[in-house]
């Protein structure tokens, strides 16, 4: 089977960092072409440093390009409580030997996609605000033919996490989300309706931390930070939101999927950043319901898949390190 080629546009971020681990664990099925970064959980400078370090830690040999440093129309508001001042909680990773690309992420994405052979398509997995992707689609609409789909973490059909109705990634840059939603590119929205069910529990996190496995240790520490420093500590579990788009690509059977028409509130009122999911099939032609949304998830399956794969990644990292020492 041909590998699905993906680009990860992200803002690591504790859960973005675990999503990168999950991508690294699946190099058999997913070919990661590049990582692009965007202002979101922390400044674009910080999340780019994190992406470079994480890529090296997971032995991912991919280019990293730094993208937009603010949302399209507003000042950034970072998620320091959830992700810490560096974006990676209290984890300190070794400095990366590789540098970010010279090119801005939007230009880098354009070049990467424009150079693909006719008929070739790539999946964009977006786990931060949609600022880079909106810029790409506005400036270079001709690359749409090379985008198979955009699978993004963001939004919610019901209930937000930064306001009563808005989710962080979409709330941070609703104008960008609107450009992406109206672009005509196939969309899969992995919003809070599903990601809130996709958690790691405290006991599982403690086990990861104590395992002596490098990937598990890191992912345990990252998840543990977001668990213990937020109200999740009373919940006893924390959502690993950003793994969900990748989990959907590999295990769609874990999710309940519905088709919809997506829009977003870009007003200055209390609903700013709320995703509007129109399920009224009787009002629309079937082909207008052109976006998919994950409405529910099997949390136990999610945990089993994620934990197993993180351990396997860690074992591989250990082997590769030993082989490196002996060569
Ligand atoms: C999303 O917001 C960010 O803080 C996380 O990294 C995730 O992408 C969840 O609402
Ligand atoms: Ca994120």
């Amino acid at each position: 089977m041909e590998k699905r080629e993906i680009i990860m546009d992200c803002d690591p971020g504790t859960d973005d960092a675990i999503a990168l681990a999950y991508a690294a664990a699946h190099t058999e099925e997913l070919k990661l072409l590049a990582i692009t970064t965007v202002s979101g959980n922390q400044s674009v400078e910080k999340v780019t440093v994190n992406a470079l370090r994480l890529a090296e830690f997971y032995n991912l040999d991919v280019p990293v390009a730094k993208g937009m440093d603010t949302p399209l129309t507003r000042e950034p508001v970072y998620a320091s409580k959830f992700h810490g001042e560096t974006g990676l909680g209290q984890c300190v990773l070794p400095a990366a030997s590789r540098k970010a690309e010279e090119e801005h992420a939007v230009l880098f994405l354009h070049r990467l996609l424009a150079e693909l052979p006719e008929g070739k398509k790539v999946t964009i997995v977006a786990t931060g605000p949609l600022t880079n992707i909106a810029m790409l689609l506005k400036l270079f609409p001709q690359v749409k033919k090379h985008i198979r789909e955009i699978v993004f973490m963001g939004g919610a059909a019901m209930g937000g996490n930064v306001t009563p109705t808005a989710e962080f990634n979409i709330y941070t840059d609703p104008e960008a989300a609107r450009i992406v939603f109206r672009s005509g590119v196939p969309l899969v929205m992995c919003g809070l309706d599903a990601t809130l069910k996709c958690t790691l529990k405290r006991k599982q996190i403690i086990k990861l931390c104590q395992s002596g496995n490098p990937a598990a240790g890191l992912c345990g520490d990252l998840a543990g930070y977001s668990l213990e420093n937020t109200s999740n500590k009373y919940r006893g579990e924390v959502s690993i939101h950003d793994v969900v788009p990748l989990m959907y690509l590999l295990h769609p059977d874990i999710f309940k999927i519905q088709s919809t028409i997506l829009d977003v509130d870009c007003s200055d009122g209390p609903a700013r950043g709320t995703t509007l999911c129109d399920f009224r099939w009787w009002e629309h032609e079937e082909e207008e319901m052109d976006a998919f949304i994950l409405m529910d998830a099997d949390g136990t399956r999610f945990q089993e898949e994620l934990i197993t794969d993180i351990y396997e990644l860690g074992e591989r990292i250990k082997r590769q390190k030993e082989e490196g020492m002996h060569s």
Side-chain angles (χ1 to χ4, degrees), residues 238-252:
V238 62
S239 291
I240 316 294
H241 304 279
D242 289 343
V243 172
V244 173
L246 293 166
M247 187 72 75
Y248 159 78
L249 290 176
L250 296 170
H251 302 288

Side-chain angles (χ1 to χ4, degrees), residues 25 93 97 101 141 189 308:
L93 290 173
S97 56
E101 299 297 300
M189 174 167 132
T308 312

Side-chain angles (χ1 to χ4, degrees), residues 171-249:
Y171 180 78
T172 301
D173 199 347
E175 285 77 15
R178 175 169 280 179
I179 291 171
V180 174
F181 291 177
R182 295 183 178 181
S183 67
V185 174
L187 299 171
V188 181
M189 174 167 132
C190 309
L192 298 175
D193 313 280
T195 68
L196 283 175
K197 307 263 175 74
C198 296
T199 65
L200 286 176
K201 293 183 191 300
R202 180 174 280 116
K203 268 197 182 150
Q204 294 169 323
I205 293 173
I206 292 172
K207 263 187 148 175
L208 291 172
C209 294
Q210 294 175 339
S211 65
N213 172 300
L218 175 63
C219 292
D221 286 344
L222 291 162
Y225 184 90
S226 298
L227 173 73
E228 302 301 351
N229 290 284
T230 59
S231 52
N232 287 295
K233 84 174 159 211
Y234 306 111
R235 192 178 158 215
E237 57 186 330
V238 62
S239 291
I240 316 294
H241 304 279
D242 289 343
V243 172
V244 173
L246 293 166
M247 187 72 75
Y248 159 78
L249 290 176

Side-chain angles (χ1 to χ4, degrees), residues 9-17 38 40-41 83 126-129 153 167-169 241-242:
D9 185 68
C10 57
D11 60 339
T14 54
D15 57 338
D16 301 77
V38 65
N41 288 325
H83 303 273
T127 60
M153 191 284 131
E167 179 280 333
F168 177 80
N169 288 338
H241 304 279
D242 289 343

Side-chain angles (χ1 to χ4, degrees), residues 10-51:
C10 57
D11 60 339
T14 54
D15 57 338
D16 301 77
I18 302 174
L20 288 171
Y22 191 68
H26 285 280
T27 46
E28 291 285 307
E29 301 99 324
L30 302 173
K31 183 169 179 197
L32 180 60
L33 301 180
I35 300 171
T36 52
T37 58
V38 65
S39 167
N41 288 325
Q42 273 299 346
S43 71
V44 76
E45 272 73 29
K46 289 184 185 178
V47 301
T48 307
V49 168
N50 295 344

